[in-house]
């Protein structure tokens, strides 16, 4: 009986895969198809919807960058011990892991926009708890809440963008997610030197516009009267934006809301655009998937879905276990250990990652996902090797005058390479490869693995550096070399295909 059901399921899936794969081959050979007409409109609503969604990405970055510039001020004002502040800093990741576990079910039940609203509300509550905190408990509760919001944002934002975007823009628009995370971290680093930790918390949830407004108020000596307004105005824009943009058409189709699905897709593609081909393709694929049994968590590892799960989870392992969070959280200490100015190095680091991430967004739909991952991985290996050589020379007191230059070059090459591909592309691919009937469960699993890797890397970094400074970077170089091998052998190219074509080709 089980064999018969598997055969029937395989036949059902093949019925939809064959035309999808054939359509993709036709496009690859330059044959015109009906879908070309559907891409003739101007996708201004797609751009606007992406802008609203990546406000969550900016909030993600603001959360991640908050603790670094505020440590001394918070400890002094609230008389926290180092252990208490360490709990405050690290509990963010545990909140994110909880958010990762619940992000898929929330996005499947309430919709992508509903999940964004939930995440934004929890983040706002968390920031307010930090702002009014008078002791360690309120700080930790607020930090846990903002971490939860980060965990939900990290899954929902790229998935929402991927589901609303046409295939020729999907890679670049999804990469804007990582760009805005970098912007949030960098802005938090910079304005954290100007604003008090409480005010920085008040602005943490809001967009770049709020930061500009605050600086204007400071310059005009009106800050005390306008600091609340500086937070409320961008927050109102974010909440209003979620009411103005359409829901993911694919989620609406999965929920059986056919009329809402067509309205949303038409709004995204343009009122004069023929969406019949794209709508039929989405509906046919979802109808086929809905005929299959609803998978449970362990069934994600069955043959039907195993390859997509391996790709999605494997890329998250490659991204996090290559050392990024250790390098990111302890950049200043790394530069100081190498004998270089911590402040200059950190500012250069912050600016570089924003520039290179922006360049990656430009090239991802031209060069493709896989080439960017391979170039990124190669740069990560080289950057780790340069840093390892620098610390080896320092430990053995050889050519000490070359140590700072080698270390800075290695670290900056590392962060530039990560920003070029390994930072953004795994999230892009994760948002593309999972069929919509398993996207909630599989996406939650991949996001959970990502956040667990982030915690493990940041937790073990100081221990590894105490064991061996150059050995730490040699270990990261080896892991990144294995990541190159994984990308070469396992990860497919998804550029230029619809989500249905990608998923039909992978899950066969």
């Amino acid at each position: 009986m089980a064999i018969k059901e598997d055969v029937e399921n395989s036949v059902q899936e093949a019925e939809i895969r064959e035309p999808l794969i054939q359509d993709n081959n036709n496009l690859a050979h330059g044959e015109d198809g009906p879908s070309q007409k559907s891409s003739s409109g101007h996708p201004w609503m797609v751009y606007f919807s992406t802008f609203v969604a990546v406000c969550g990405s900016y909030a993600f970055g603001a959360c991640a960058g908050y603790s670094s510039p505020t440590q001394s001020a918070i400890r002094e004002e609230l008389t926290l011990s180092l252990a208490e502040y360490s709990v405050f800093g690290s509990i963010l990741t545990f909140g994110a892991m909880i958010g990762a576990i619940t992000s898929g079910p929330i996005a499947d039940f309430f919709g992508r926009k509903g999940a964004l609203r939930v995440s934004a509300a929890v983040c706002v509550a968390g920031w307010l708890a930090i702002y009014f905190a008078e002791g360690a408990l309120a700080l930790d509760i607020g930090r846990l809440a903002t971490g939860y919001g980060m965990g939900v944002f990290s899954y929902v934002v790229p998935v929402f963008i991927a589901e609303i975007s046409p295939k020729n823009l999907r890679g670049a628009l999804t990469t804007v997610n990582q760009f805005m995370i970098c912007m949030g971290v960098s802005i938090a680093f910079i304005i954290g030197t100007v604003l008090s930790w409480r005010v920085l918390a008040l602005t943490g949830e809001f967009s770049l516009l709020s930061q500009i407004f605050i600086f204007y108020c400071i310059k005009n000596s009106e800050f005390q009267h306008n600091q609340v307004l500086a937070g409320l105005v961008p927050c109102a824009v974010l909440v209003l934006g979620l009411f103005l943009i359409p829901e993911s058409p694919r989620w609406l189709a999965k929920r059986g809301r056919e009329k809402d699905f067509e309205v949303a897709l038409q709004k995204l593609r343009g009122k004069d655009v023929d969406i019949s081909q794209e709508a039929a393709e989405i509906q046919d694929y979802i109808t086929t998937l809905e005929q299959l049994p609803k998978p449970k968590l362990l069934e994600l590892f069955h043959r039907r879905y195993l390859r997509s799960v391996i790709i999605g989870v494997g890329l998250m392992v490659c991204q996090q276990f290559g050392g990024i969070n250790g390098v990111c959280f302890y950049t200043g200490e790394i530069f100081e250990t190498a004998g270089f100015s911590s402040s200059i190095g950190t500012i250069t680091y912050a600016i570089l990652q924003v520039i290179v991430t922006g360049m990656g967004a430009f090239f991802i739909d031209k060069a493709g996902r896989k080439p960017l991952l391979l170039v990124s991985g190669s740069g990560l290996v080289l950057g780790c090797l340069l840093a390892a050589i620098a610390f080896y020379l320092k430990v053995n007191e050889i050519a000490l005058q070359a140590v700072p230059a080698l270390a800075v070059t290695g670290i900056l090459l590392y962060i530039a390479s990560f920003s070029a591909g390994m930072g953004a592309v795994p999230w892009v691919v994760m948002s593309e490869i999972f069929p919509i009937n398993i996207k909630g469960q599989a996406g939650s699993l991949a996001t959970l693995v990502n956040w667990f890797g982030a915690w493990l890397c940041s937790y073990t970094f100081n221990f590894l550096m105490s064991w061996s400074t150059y050995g730490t970077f040699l270990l990261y170089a080896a892991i990144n070399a294995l990541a190159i091998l994984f990308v070469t052998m396992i990860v497919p190219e998804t550029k230029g295909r619809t989500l249905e074509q990608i998923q039909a080709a992978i899950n066969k």
Side-chain angles (χ1 to χ4, degrees):
M1 178 65 71
I3 295 175
K4 182 180 179 181
E5 289 178 354
D6 285 343
V7 171
E8 290 175 351
N9 291 338
S10 297
V11 171
Q12 288 174 327
E13 291 177 278
E15 290 175 355
I16 190 65
R17 284 196 191 101
E18 185 174 351
L20 286 172
I21 296 172
Q22 183 64 41
D23 287 346
N24 189 58
N25 290 336
N26 290 343
L27 290 172
H29 288 86
E31 296 180 24
D32 293 336
S35 60
Q36 284 188 333
K37 185 179 179 182
S38 67
S39 62
S40 59
H42 190 279
W44 70 269
M45 179 54 74
V46 173
Y47 293 140
F48 179 67
S49 300
T50 299
F51 167 75
V52 172
V54 297
C55 288
S57 307
Y58 181 86
F60 180 147
C63 293
Y66 178 77
S67 61
S68 180
T70 58
Q71 178 171 348
S72 58
I74 291 177
R75 289 189 61 194
E76 180 180 350
E77 183 173 337
L78 301 183
T79 62
L80 300 183
S81 66
L82 180 59
E84 287 175 321
Y85 192 82
S86 296
V87 171
F88 171 73
S90 62
I91 202 171
L92 180 81
T93 310
F94 286 98
M97 284 192 275
I98 298 172
I101 293 171
T102 61
S103 60
I106 289 174
D108 282 348
F109 185 79
F110 292 107
R112 307 336 187 194
K113 286 171 57 180
L116 288 172
R117 288 191 184 99
V118 170
S119 183
V122 174
C123 273
V124 169
W127 283 120
L128 290 175
I130 294 173
Y131 178 76
F132 291 108
E134 297 296 339
L137 180 60
L139 276 178
D140 292 342
I141 292 173
R143 189 71 164 164
L144 185 69
T146 57
Y148 178 86
M150 285 176 63
V152 177
F153 278 138
S154 63
Y155 166 74
V156 177
V157 172
V159 166
F160 175 72
I161 296 173
E163 290 183 351
I164 66 171
S165 303
K167 62 186 178 183
N168 61 311
L169 297 174
R170 191 177 62 242
L173 293 180
T174 309
T175 306
V176 175
N177 168 57
Q178 184 69 22
F179 176 79
M180 290 301 289
I181 292 173
C182 293
M183 284 292 293
V185 172
S186 300
I187 295 296
F189 278 174
I190 295 171
I191 71 170
T193 62
V194 178
L195 303 180
S196 73
W197 65 270
R198 293 187 187 275
V199 175
L200 185 61
L202 190 66
T203 65
E205 171 60 24
F206 310 122
S207 72
L208 181 61
L209 294 175
S210 69
Q211 320 299 348
I212 297 172
F213 187 78
I214 285 172
F215 277 116
Y216 171 81
C217 293
I218 292 174
K219 181 178 178 182
N220 290 277
S221 302
E222 298 172 0
F223 179 69
Q224 293 299 325
H225 296 89
N226 292 305
Q227 63 182 31
V228 176
L229 182 62
L232 292 178
V233 170
C235 184
V237 172
L238 174 62
V239 173
L240 179 62
L242 286 173
F243 285 102
L244 295 176
I245 63 176
E247 179 58 91
S248 162
R250 288 173 169 86
W251 180 80
L252 292 169
K254 182 176 181 292
R255 302 291 289 188
R257 296 164 56 178
E258 294 186 11
K259 184 176 181 180
D260 292 336
F261 156 71
E262 293 178 0
V263 169
L265 187 61
Q266 190 74 70
K267 192 172 183 180
L268 287 164
R269 298 297 178 258
K271 64 179 182 178
D272 298 324
V273 175
D274 181 7
I275 61 169
S276 57
Q277 173 74 13
E278 184 179 6
E281 186 175 286
I282 293 171
Q283 287 278 31
D284 288 347
Y285 190 65
I286 289 177
T287 300
T288 299
L289 292 176
E290 289 299 303
Q291 293 171 358
L292 301 175
K294 184 174 178 61
K296 298 178 182 178
L297 182 61
L298 292 179
E299 292 177 358
L300 296 180
F301 300 97
H302 288 184
R303 183 184 63 83
R304 183 184 300 123
Y305 305 120
L306 183 59
R307 189 182 177 208
S308 62
V309 171
I310 290 174
I311 294 168
V313 173
L315 283 175
M316 296 306 174
V317 171
C318 293
Q319 183 191 73
Q320 289 299 335
F321 284 78
I324 181 59
N325 271 289
V327 174
C328 178
F329 290 168
Y330 301 102
T331 302
E333 293 182 20
I334 295 172
F335 285 134
E336 288 178 0
T337 303
F340 189 78
S341 169
S342 173
S343 58
I344 295 176
T346 302
I347 292 173
T348 305
Y349 166 100
I351 295 173
L352 182 65
Q353 70 172 350
V354 172
I355 294 174
V356 177
T357 302
M359 293 174 61
F362 178 78
F363 285 110
I364 191 169
D365 280 320
K366 294 178 172 61
R369 284 63 156 157
K370 196 166 183 174
L372 281 183
L373 284 172
L374 293 174
V375 170
S376 176
S378 301
L380 289 170
V381 172
L382 181 57
C384 287
L385 290 177
L386 288 175
I389 292 171
F391 286 115
Y392 178 83
L393 294 177
K394 182 174 182 179
V395 168
N396 293 278
E397 298 184 351
I398 303 172
L400 292 178
Q401 68 277 8
V403 169
L406 275 173
V408 171
T409 302
I411 296 301
L412 293 183
L413 176 60
Y414 179 94
I415 191 59
S417 300
F418 182 85
S419 300
M422 198 60 76
V425 177
W427 293 107
V428 175
V429 175
M430 184 275 292
S431 69
E432 295 174 327
I433 60 173
F434 296 135
I436 198 163
N437 64 319
I438 68 163
K439 185 168 282 187
Q441 292 174 310
S444 290
L445 176 63
T447 308
L448 176 62
V449 169
N450 184 281
W451 281 109
F452 174 77
W455 169 79
L456 186 64
C457 181
S458 59
Y459 178 77
T460 58
F461 185 80
N462 280 332
F463 295 106
L464 289 172
M465 290 290 282
S466 299
W467 161 66
S468 172
T469 51
Y470 62 87
T472 299
F473 285 96
L474 286 176
L475 175 62
Y476 290 154
I479 294 173
N480 284 306
L482 291 174
I484 294 174
L485 185 63
F486 175 82
V487 171
T488 302
M489 298 181 64
I490 304 295
V491 178
E493 179 56 68
T494 61
K495 180 188 73 169
R497 302 191 202 180
T498 67
L499 296 182
E500 288 68 36
Q501 290 166 349
I502 294 167
Q503 293 154 16
I506 291 175
N507 298 288
K508 61 182 179 180

